[in-house]
Amino acid sequence: LPDFAIPSRGVSIVSPDADLLSRRLRMSSPAVACRVEEGSVKLDLRAVAPEQDALLSRLVTERISDLWE
């Protein structure tokens, strides 16, 4: 492990089923790297280029929409 922290920004998504959402995001095309921590899905944005923001937003919205039904 590195001896220092790498600066980054992230997003934490609260979901009724964080494990299911993370699986859906990982299986998306393109795959979204994420992890489940403390019951929410964490996305580290340091690897997301600004021009990919809209795509990431669309993928998250599509994969999460039916979890509250």
Side-chain angles (χ1 to χ4, degrees), residues 32-33 43-57:
V32 176
L43 304 176
D44 186 341
L45 300 180
R46 76 176 148 220
V48 179
E51 61 270 12
Q52 295 173 316
D53 287 348
L55 174 60
L56 179 60
S57 177

Side-chain angles (χ1 to χ4, degrees), residues 3-53:
D3 293 335
F4 57 92
I6 300 171
S8 183
R9 298 281 187 248
V11 174
S12 180
I13 304 170
V14 177
S15 165
D17 192 335
D19 291 320
L20 177 58
L21 176 58
S22 68
R23 272 194 310 277
R24 288 178 176 183
L25 290 171
R26 289 184 196 115
M27 297 189 68
S28 296
S29 182
V32 176
C34 59
R35 68 184 187 280
V36 175
E37 189 175 293
E38 299 177 6
S40 63
V41 177
K42 308 288 185 172
L43 304 176
D44 186 341
L45 300 180
R46 76 176 148 220
V48 179
E51 61 270 12
Q52 295 173 316
D53 287 348

